[in-house]
Amino acid sequence: MMKFKFMLFALTGMMPLAMSAQETYQDTKFIDTDLNGTARYVGMGGAMEALGADLSTANTNPAATGLFRHGTVSASASLLMQGDAGDYADKSKTHLSFDHVGFVFSDKTSGGFVNYGASFTKSRNFNQILTAVGELSYASQNKLTARKYDYGVYLESLRSGSGDYIWNGVDAGYSELLPYSEELDKYGYYNSNSYSYGSYQHGYIGQYSMFLSGNIHDRWYLGVTFGIHDVHYKSQSDYSENIADVDGAKAYSGEDLKITGTGFDVKAGVIFRPVELSPFRIGLYVHTPTFYNLEMDGVSYVGLSGFPESGKLTDVRNGYAKNQYTYDKFKIYTPWKFGLSLGHTVGNYLALGATYEYADYSTIDNRITDGGYYDVWGDYYESSSSDHSMNEHTESTLKGVSTLKLGAEYKPVADVSLRVGYNYVSPIFREEGVRDGTVLSAGSANSTSTDYTNWKSTNRITLGVGYQFDKVSLDLSYQYSMQKGDFYPFGPYYEYEDHRASEENNLVGATEVKNNRSQLMLTVGYHF
């Protein structure tokens, strides 16, 4: 097979990529959500989709807002803490966050109530420090670049007949530093024996919601929410390896990434009481996909240091390669989500709730921005199409996710509420999932890093207390979220089916990492 020395990547001084798309592991940052909203909602583990009368339910089951009998306005703020995280670049492990504000108006009708309102909720808080160290055997990040060149992965399905490589920012950087043989048309590489990694990501997804709900004879509750999602994501990371056969020599790389954009969705729900004289109720709801339109600005660098100035390694260039820049516009359509909820009250002192949600994350639609058109009024619209190659990778990497929420509220006296909740979220990633930099997709070519983490299930435990005096309410909640994951500094390359560490293969084992977070939240409300 003939090789082409021209490498395809959206870089300064190189041909820009005409079509843009994103890749699986980046997508998951925008499809997952936190347990967030009001302190009452958090304190009950979010299991209020059938109990209702809380502003946070507008973003889950909007029919639950139909249980309001009066107007309400509230605001929430919290401290988010990642106390057991490693140290990275003097970044703080504690952050103050403004999480929620909203209002609802309630109008009585002849057959019930009509409620309407709006809210802002921080549906995802990206603040996280992640560190990892591990051993390597017959493996390195720069070896992955050399192997990709040796066994050329072509973009012929994207740019017919061009023969361009899937060659990302890390590959482009190493190609400037690694020794290259014109005669053999090969890059040299250097195995490493250990690595260290650190990253810091921050930002949020803000969800702006407008909702309308109704109560029909206190038996049926209907609701719909229109949502706009505002994405602000930033991250930086640093990675280094100790070269195995050269004392003091290192290879290193890093990334700075920014992703911004917007999305929109619609949520609809219903709650009904099957027995007229019983407070027991059942809720059902559905969320459309969130239709994201996003932009990415990324820069990566690689470097080599500690190599001797003379001898057989003189072709190695100590120091940094020039920065590799990429800009990408892409679309993501998240999966549909479905929910079933149960709620029951005992007198005026006990409320019990349970919710089950399901979304098949393997059905995420990665979309290529492939052009645009002007309508008859002169307005410009971008067109897109599904990135079939990346969608196949997503289907083989992600899976259906179940979320279970349980919560209880007990009132020992009329004005005091005690709350407890629990969440279980099943894993998004398959255990065998890999961040495959050879997928025939513009998303692979626009990558500026190689690391990935297969996060496992999430468990959340919540506690809360509330106090009502006159028309003012104060609610406090504590949430502890626990999650483990398998971290890999780069994806595998193997030549033999046994997948053993060898000179031909480039394999790295998993390093266990954690994402444990605590949140202390306060909500102030006023009822009118």
Side-chain angles (χ1 to χ4, degrees):
M1 180 181 292
M2 180 180 178
K3 288 191 173 70
F4 292 78
K5 194 65 185 297
F6 174 81
M7 307 302 175
L8 179 62
F9 188 70
L11 307 174
T12 302
M14 302 184 75
M15 181 177 291
L17 201 59
M19 296 179 292
S20 298
Q22 194 48 269
E23 54 95 21
T24 301
Y25 279 84
Q26 292 286 15
D27 290 352
T28 58
K29 294 178 173 62
F30 311 110
I31 60 174
D32 199 11
T33 58
D34 297 329
L35 175 62
N36 210 10
T38 67
R40 183 182 180 223
Y41 181 80
V42 172
M44 292 188 66
M48 299 190 66
E49 283 73 29
L51 292 171
D54 189 278
L55 281 167
S56 297
T57 59
N59 297 319
T60 52
N61 183 2
T65 63
L67 280 90
F68 277 104
R69 297 292 183 272
H70 50 72
T72 296
V73 59
S74 67
S76 306
S78 70
L79 281 176
L80 188 67
M81 297 157 282
Q82 195 186 2
D84 59 356
D87 295 323
Y88 174 71
D90 295 326
K91 299 299 183 182
S92 176
K93 302 176 186 179
T94 301
H95 300 274
L96 179 64
S97 176
F98 179 72
D99 295 290
H100 176 84
V101 63
F103 66 88
V104 59
F105 292 102
S106 183
D107 291 335
K108 186 173 178 58
T109 67
S110 58
F113 289 85
V114 173
N115 300 332
Y116 50 94
S119 67
F120 164 83
T121 304
K122 190 173 288 185
S123 63
R124 186 74 193 271
N125 191 320
F126 290 119
N127 282 286
Q128 181 188 7
I129 295 173
L130 180 65
T131 59
V133 295
E135 296 182 353
L136 297 171
S137 177
Y138 294 104
S140 69
Q141 190 183 60
N142 71 87
K143 183 178 179 180
L144 184 63
T145 292
R147 285 305 191 195
K148 285 174 71 173
Y149 188 81
D150 288 346
Y151 296 95
V153 180
Y154 290 85
L155 275 175
E156 291 176 350
S157 63
L158 290 179
R159 295 165 56 99
S160 179
S162 72
D164 296 329
Y165 287 100
I166 294 289
W167 198 253
N168 61 37
V170 177
D171 300 323
Y174 277 124
S175 71
E176 298 182 13
L177 300 178
L178 294 174
Y180 172 74
S181 170
E182 292 279 358
E183 180 181 355
L184 299 177
D185 193 18
K186 290 174 68 70
Y187 280 97
Y189 61 84
Y190 301 94
N191 289 317
S192 299
N193 54 32
S194 63
Y195 73 85
S196 63
Y197 172 86
S199 71
Y200 173 64
Q201 64 177 27
H202 57 106
Y204 65 94
I205 299 179
Q207 187 173 182
Y208 300 86
S209 302
M210 296 176 290
F211 60 88
L212 176 67
S213 58
N215 171 343
I216 303 175
H217 301 299
D218 206 28
R219 288 286 301 276
W220 289 87
Y221 309 86
L222 307 171
V224 61
T225 295
F226 301 91
I228 297 175
H229 303 252
D230 187 23
V231 176
H232 301 270
Y233 173 84
K234 290 183 178 181
S235 69
Q236 64 183 82
S237 63
D238 294 286
Y239 174 75
S240 67
E241 297 176 340
N242 294 313
I243 303 299
D245 299 324
V246 184
D247 290 340
K250 292 181 178 292
Y252 45 89
S253 63
E255 173 192 55
D256 284 297
L257 189 65
K258 178 182 178 182
I259 300 176
T260 58
T262 58
F264 68 91
D265 67 356
V266 179
K267 305 175 180 72
V270 59
I271 298 172
F272 63 95
R273 293 195 296 118
V275 179
E276 183 175 5
L277 299 180
S278 171
F280 175 73
R281 42 194 178 263
I282 301 172
L284 299 169
Y285 57 92
V286 60
H287 300 180
T288 70
T290 303
F291 301 95
Y292 279 118
N293 190 0
L294 303 172
E295 297 185 8
M296 178 184 75
D297 286 285
V299 58
S300 64
Y301 70 87
V302 302
L304 299 173
S305 65
F307 286 88
E309 298 297 329
S310 62
K312 65 178 182 179
L313 299 176
T314 54
D315 288 337
V316 176
R317 293 175 53 191
N318 286 306
Y320 287 102
K322 69 180 181 182
N323 289 338
Q324 312 291 333
Y325 298 95
T326 186
Y327 171 78
D328 193 5
K329 294 183 67 175
F330 58 96
K331 298 178 186 292
I332 302 171
Y333 295 171
T334 69
W336 289 80
K337 180 180 288 187
F338 304 91
L340 167 67
S341 53
L342 306 175
H344 187 63
T345 57
V346 179
N348 59 0
Y349 63 89
L350 180 64
L352 303 171
T355 298
Y356 173 78
E357 292 179 349
Y358 180 80
D360 187 356
Y361 287 3
S362 71
T363 63
I364 292 173
D365 187 9
N366 303 275
R367 300 187 66 82
I368 299 170
T369 302
D370 50 16
Y373 63 93
Y374 289 93
D375 65 12
V376 294
W377 308 105
D379 295 322
Y380 184 76
Y381 295 90
E382 286 185 336
S383 61
S384 65
S385 58
S386 294
D387 184 348
H388 298 295
S389 295
M390 189 57 71
N391 285 347
E392 289 178 2
H393 178 260
T394 299
E395 185 176 1
S396 65
T397 304
L398 307 183
K399 57 184 179 179
V401 172
S402 297
T403 300
L404 176 65
K405 306 177 186 179
L406 302 173
E409 180 180 60
Y410 172 67
K411 291 187 174 185
V413 295
D415 296 329
V416 176
S417 300
L418 304 177
R419 303 170 185 125
V420 63
Y422 170 73
N423 271 193
Y424 171 79
V425 184
S426 67
I428 295 175
F429 299 95
R430 300 181 187 274
E431 290 185 7
E432 66 275 15
V434 299
R435 187 179 182 186
D436 186 353
T438 66
V439 175
L440 295 174
S441 166
S444 298
N446 279 300
S447 295
T448 48
S449 60
T450 61
D451 62 275
Y452 64 100
T453 305
N454 287 336
W455 292 106
K456 300 179 181 180
S457 61
T458 301
N459 289 273
R460 301 181 179 116
I461 299 172
T462 67
L463 299 170
V465 60
Y467 181 67
Q468 176 90 31
F469 56 96
D470 196 14
K471 295 183 178 183
V472 177
S473 62
L474 293 176
D475 295 286
L476 188 69
S477 68
Y478 174 77
Q479 174 184 181
Y480 186 60
S481 176
M482 299 162 284
Q483 188 179 36
K484 295 181 179 180
D486 291 330
F487 173 84
Y488 300 86
F490 47 80
Y493 171 85
Y494 48 85
E495 192 168 335
Y496 297 108
E497 291 299 326
D498 55 16
H499 299 184
R500 292 182 297 181
S502 67
E503 197 61 57
E504 291 78 16
N505 295 340
N506 192 52
L507 307 177
V508 58
T511 296
E512 184 179 273
V513 293
K514 296 180 180 180
N515 181 24
N516 297 339
R517 303 198 295 182
S518 298
Q519 182 194 47
L520 185 64
M521 173 178 283
L522 174 67
T523 298
V524 179
Y526 179 76
H527 311 281
F528 55 90

